[in-house]
Amino acid sequence: MNKNIKIKSYKIPPDFLKHSNINLKQYKTLYRQSIKKPGHFWATQAKKFISWFSPWKKISTGSLKKLNMRWFVGGKLNACYNCVDRHLETRTNQIAIIWQGDNPNDSKTITYGELYDKICRFANVLKDHGIKKGDRVCIYLPMIPEIIISMLACARIGAIHSVVFGGFSPESLKTRILDAECRLVITADESIRGGKYIPLKKNVDIAIKKCPKVHKVIVVKRTGNPITMHRKRDIWYHEAMMGVDAKCPPKKMDANDPLFILYTSGSTGNPKGVLHTIAGYMVYVTMSFKYIFDFHDGDIYWCTADLGWITGHSYLLYGPLANGGTTLLFEGVPNYPNFSRYWEIIDKYKVNIFYTAPTAIRALRHEGDKWVNKTSRKSLKLLGTVGEPINPDVWEWYYNVVGNAKCPIVDTWWQTETGGILISPLPGATPLKPGSAAWPFFGIVPEIVNDKGKVIKNNNPGRLVIKQSWPGFMKTIYGDRKRFVDTYFKEVPGRYLTGDGAYRDKDGYIWITGREDDVIKVSGHRIGTGEIESALLTVQQVSEAAVVAIPHEVKGQAIFAYVVTKSGAKSDALKKRLNAQVHRVIGPIANLEYVQFVKALPKTRSGKIMRRILRKIASSEFDDLGDTSTLADPSVVDTLIAERKKVSNEAKGRRQ
Ligand code: WTA
């Protein structure tokens, strides 16, 4: 974000103030309390928002410095009980889930009473197939109600779910199943998105050929198209659910027992299994959902994120259901059957709170206002965004065109690791500045530091770190404590290193500038450049590869791959093959937007690739390449520039 752009700030729409949960004064007082006396603050919230089987003995122990933080020590609870059972007394007939299928005519609703029944039955199915407390269950399902039933059934019996996004390839699925040592996989015959069918069961069959621990696969019938069922291993979900006992008491779990593992990309190596524990996560997401989305009883809430990502976990499932809300689950995509899809769904179900990603907003804005203006969106009272920085002009379009200038926007900054939102406006409290995630949430102390770990102020950009422990933070990387410590705590000891760059303006507003490491965000999907490079290196002709991100108007960032081939081979056919291989290894979300064949990569004398230079050249910023004196062979840069210019000229020529 350019600091010199003049940003207009927006007051909270007056109608909104009439009903908001927290105003500015309350925010300031509560925030002060939350960071001065975190123990007292979180104890109050934990009592208010969560039902406990037995209370904690100590509110927290340890610290970020010692890396041994634990919250609600000794408390007993169950996440599924908090999302479902405790609402039954008052909400048995209230809709818990509105499901909207990919096809506009395909939809259904599930009440809290029905959800309870299905979860209990499915929990018994899992138990019948040998799943017990602590076992890992992989869930590779489309956005259908069974994904929520599966996640909550695991939580009910103390099994740890590991949801894998349905867009990942069999290879990525295999890596995740193996790393978490899952014993059972839940999938569907196929998924449908935008009218296209994706062969989930077939992908599972390929993935688990090399996963000896998987002994059962439960298959939901979504499309009914023919698939292969392995007699001894595969079970139909609908058959298993028949005749199974409808009672299954929730397991009394320890506050610090794991709830789930969710894989996410880092700078290096394979994706990391981020492990979240029950109590801290549940307290944090339940309470942050209530305040940040200004949730009120009866609100219809829609988060468009897939349940394969953290946003789906925290703010489609756990946060809304723990608050007794009605959450909308959408199977499809924003542009099918046409570009009005989101807005039509909002009108159809009278959605009040809508939470999506900048990439979707940019794509829909690109199609013109007419698709929005065809609908009323009268029910909306709040809009949210997550996943990447949102440009001020895109923010204004979202505010004025989608929200009719009456809905505050919460630009929520957070990560898989943080469990819940850490920086965001509170809609009834914070005057809005388009493009800024604004102020820290309760209990969160962000700092912006330089390379030496010293705090910097006054609009100066630096690395965003978090100073104090909060309940929603991950416990570890599954099976790799050392990687947890090295990734997040080594460079700035005693602080959680987020990997993002940011600056803070004179009003205390935080502006996130994007990732500072080798993680990129393509259409909001988090991908490690190292993963893509490894995939490229599996192609026989490739001898070296370096991947960087370049800005993209709709996707936010796009993948740019520099490839050195053996014997200098280069052709469009080879480009296609490289892209196909990346799709095969990771999944279609990792699409190579540009492939540039080069003679050599810029390296330091110790052999480290200088990505800073590659990033600039990819974006055609040739004038300010910074210090190139440490390069082993500085002439490589001139060749790279010439190669880049040649390719852009050819592309321009083709367009003319
Ligand atoms: C980016 C998604 C700017 C950031 C919940 C972070 C954002 C990464 C915002 C985490 C935002 C998320 N403004 N950037 N409001 N929200 N990010 O783990 O770079 O998929 O580090 O979690 O998304 O991505 P993840």
Side-chain angles (χ1 to χ4, degrees):
M1 215 69 55
N2 185 341
K3 282 184 280 172
N4 300 321
I5 294 175
K6 187 119 187 65
I7 303 278
K8 174 180 161 196
S9 67
Y10 286 73
K11 289 207 182 85
I12 302 149
D15 278 355
F16 195 88
L17 280 175
K18 285 187 210 144
H19 56 68
S20 69
N21 282 326
I22 285 199
N23 62 31
L24 183 57
K25 202 163 148 237
Q26 289 164 324
Y27 165 72
K28 286 192 169 161
T29 315
L30 271 173
Y31 180 71
R32 221 173 304 120
Q33 290 170 3
S34 75
I35 59 167
K36 284 223 165 105
K37 288 192 175 160
H40 176 75
F41 177 84
W42 288 113
T44 313
Q45 305 304 323
K47 276 186 211 140
K48 183 168 164 191
F49 282 95
I50 290 297
S51 304
W52 300 82
F53 295 139
S54 49
W56 55 88
K57 298 199 170 64
K58 246 186 143 198
I59 187 72
S60 72
T61 56
S63 68
L64 276 190
K65 281 209 175 76
K66 295 202 179 122
L67 284 181
N68 56 352
M69 42 297 167
R70 273 147 58 95
W71 285 88
F72 312 108
V73 182
K76 300 268 185 255
L77 77 167
N78 183 286
C80 177
Y81 178 91
N82 273 279
C83 288
V84 185
D85 304 37
R86 64 168 172 164
H87 305 313
L88 292 176
E89 210 177 299
T90 51
R91 303 183 193 274
T92 305
N93 297 320
Q94 183 199 308
I95 294 170
I97 302 171
I98 299 172
W99 178 72
Q100 174 58 59
D102 186 57
N103 179 329
N105 301 322
D106 218 357
S107 64
K108 65 176 143 193
T109 55
I110 297 179
T111 64
Y112 271 97
E114 289 163 342
L115 184 61
Y116 172 76
D117 179 72
K118 288 176 198 292
I119 291 168
C120 288
R121 283 175 195 276
F122 192 57
N124 282 328
V125 171
L126 292 176
K127 283 207 261 183
D128 286 350
H129 291 290
I131 297 300
K132 48 186 193 326
K133 181 180 167 186
D135 285 344
R136 275 80 56 206
V137 172
C138 173
I139 301 177
Y140 184 65
L141 277 172
M143 292 282 278
I144 52 177
E146 287 78 2
I147 187 169
I148 295 184
I149 295 164
S150 302
M151 290 165 78
L152 289 175
C154 287
R156 191 165 190 85
I157 61 172
I160 304 166
H161 58 70
S162 166
V163 183
V164 178
F165 173 58
F168 276 123
S169 67
E171 184 69 24
S172 295
L173 178 62
K174 181 194 83 184
T175 319
R176 286 158 173 79
I177 293 174
L178 285 175
D179 189 79
E181 301 164 297
C182 294
R183 301 192 48 219
L184 185 144
V185 180
I186 308 166
T187 190
D189 46 4
E190 294 176 304
S191 71
I192 319 174
R193 278 164 62 81
K196 291 197 195 95
Y197 290 62
I198 301 145
L200 295 187
K201 172 63 167 57
K202 206 165 133 202
N203 287 353
V204 171
D205 288 343
I206 301 168
I208 63 175
K209 272 195 188 132
K210 297 208 177 96
C211 302
K213 291 222 163 100
V214 175
H215 68 290
K216 286 283 170 228
V217 178
I218 301 181
V219 188
V220 178
K221 193 177 264 189
R222 169 65 191 104
T223 64
N225 286 328
I227 53 162
T228 313
M229 292 290 275
H230 295 253
R231 206 163 46 86
K232 286 209 178 119
R233 191 196 66 194
D234 301 345
I235 308 148
W236 282 109
Y237 174 91
H238 60 275
E239 286 176 6
M241 289 286 268
M242 280 191 309
V244 77
D245 195 355
K247 283 217 169 62
C248 174
K251 188 127 194 125
K252 287 195 174 117
M253 301 294 289
D254 190 81
N256 286 283
D257 277 337
L259 178 60
F260 64 83
I261 299 169
L262 184 57
Y263 284 86
T264 192
S265 296
S267 278
T268 51
N270 279 337
K272 306 173 282 213
V274 170
L275 184 107
H276 280 285
T277 48
I278 304 170
Y281 176 81
M282 286 304 290
V283 169
Y284 196 81
V285 300
T286 309
M287 179 261 205
S288 56
F289 176 76
K290 167 90 179 166
Y291 292 135
I292 294 171
F293 295 99
D294 196 56
F295 179 75
H296 288 73
D297 220 7
D299 280 344
I300 307 289
Y301 168 83
W302 181 18
C303 164
T304 66
D306 195 283
L307 277 156
W309 309 116
I310 191 69
T311 308
H313 280 58
S314 303
Y315 297 113
L316 192 164
L317 195 168
Y318 286 107
L321 293 187
N323 276 284
T326 298
T327 190
L328 198 151
L329 178 69
F330 176 46
E331 187 184 31
V333 293
N335 58 357
Y336 176 85
N338 62 52
F339 297 105
S340 286
R341 190 71 198 273
Y342 274 1
W343 325 125
E344 279 165 3
I345 293 176
I346 288 172
D347 282 357
K348 179 172 173 188
Y349 298 107
K350 308 216 166 12
V351 171
N352 306 112
I353 306 165
F354 177 66
Y355 190 33
T356 194
T359 185
I361 307 168
R362 286 191 297 261
L364 294 171
R365 171 180 178 247
H366 188 76
E367 301 302 324
D369 297 1
K370 68 169 196 257
W371 297 102
V372 191
N373 291 337
K374 270 171 40 183
T375 60
S376 97
R377 291 151 284 104
K378 231 171 47 208
S379 54
L380 286 175
K381 63 167 195 174
L382 179 69
L383 300 170
T385 149
V386 59
E388 326 148 59
I390 179 164
N391 294 352
D393 57 331
V394 176
W395 190 103
E396 290 191 329
W397 183 81
Y398 195 30
Y399 184 85
N400 290 315
V401 180
V402 176
N404 288 326
K406 68 176 178 61
C407 307
I409 296 178
V410 287
D411 177 353
T412 62
W413 177 87
W414 59 297
Q415 307 175 301
T416 308
E417 293 88 338
T418 68
I421 298 164
L422 298 200
I423 306 176
S424 168
L426 282 189
T430 321
L432 303 167
K433 293 195 190 189
S436 169
W439 296 335
F441 188 63
F442 301 126
I444 304 303
V445 187
E447 273 180 353
I448 291 155
V449 301
N450 64 16
D451 284 344
K452 298 201 174 72
K454 282 241 146 45
V455 175
I456 42 181
K457 292 190 174 137
N458 303 336
N459 277 325
N460 287 312
R463 316 166 95 180
L464 179 65
V465 297
I466 311 292
K467 191 175 164 188
Q468 230 164 255
S469 161
W470 71 99
F473 186 49
M474 68 190 286
K475 185 179 186 186
T476 189
I477 292 176
Y478 182 76
D480 201 344
R481 165 98 183 155
K482 182 173 179 319
R483 194 171 173 203
F484 170 67
V485 176
D486 289 352
T487 309
Y488 305 113
F489 296 96
K490 210 169 173 182
E491 289 180 46
V492 189
R495 305 280 187 272
Y496 163 61
L497 181 69
T498 67
D500 276 350
Y503 61 91
R504 204 188 305 231
D505 72 16
K506 64 178 184 0
D507 304 318
Y509 281 65
I510 294 172
W511 298 77
I512 309 288
T513 49
R515 298 289 307 194
E516 298 234 303
D517 51 11
D518 293 321
V519 169
I520 58 181
K521 278 267 168 154
V522 181
S523 300
H525 299 317
R526 182 167 159 176
I527 307 173
T529 51
E531 289 170 69
I532 306 167
E533 289 162 6
S534 304
L536 287 168
L537 287 169
T538 60
V539 176
Q540 199 240 331
Q541 287 99 323
V542 176
S543 59
E544 280 189 294
V547 167
V548 295
I550 65 165
H552 187 282
E553 219 178 289
V554 172
K555 297 178 181 176
Q557 292 189 315
I559 300 170
F560 191 111
Y562 291 91
V563 177
V564 183
T565 53
K566 293 172 191 158
S567 72
K570 52 177 170 180
S571 66
D572 283 346
L574 181 55
K575 276 188 190 173
K576 276 205 184 115
R577 203 150 0 111
L578 295 176
N579 213 2
Q581 178 66 352
V582 175
H583 287 200
R584 202 187 66 74
V585 176
I586 301 174
I589 54 170
N591 189 52
L592 303 179
E593 200 82 19
Y594 305 92
V595 177
Q596 168 118 32
F597 294 110
V598 292
K599 285 204 182 68
L601 296 170
K603 288 186 192 158
T604 60
R605 278 177 218 114
S606 57
K608 206 169 166 258
I609 295 173
M610 286 186 81
R611 288 166 190 283
R612 176 176 54 79
I613 293 178
L614 289 176
R615 258 181 234 125
K616 294 237 156 156
I617 295 177
S619 306
S620 298
E621 291 169 23
F622 307 124
D623 295 337
D624 178 24
L625 293 177
D627 183 12
T628 53
S629 63
T630 54
L631 284 174
D633 175 7
S635 74
V636 167
V637 172
D638 296 329
T639 317
L640 279 169
I641 293 176
E643 285 164 331
R644 176 81 185 106
K645 282 186 176 161
K646 187 164 169 249
V647 172
S648 345
N649 288 341
E650 280 166 9
K652 262 188 221 145
R654 272 199 300 273
R655 275 200 300 274
Q656 272 156 16

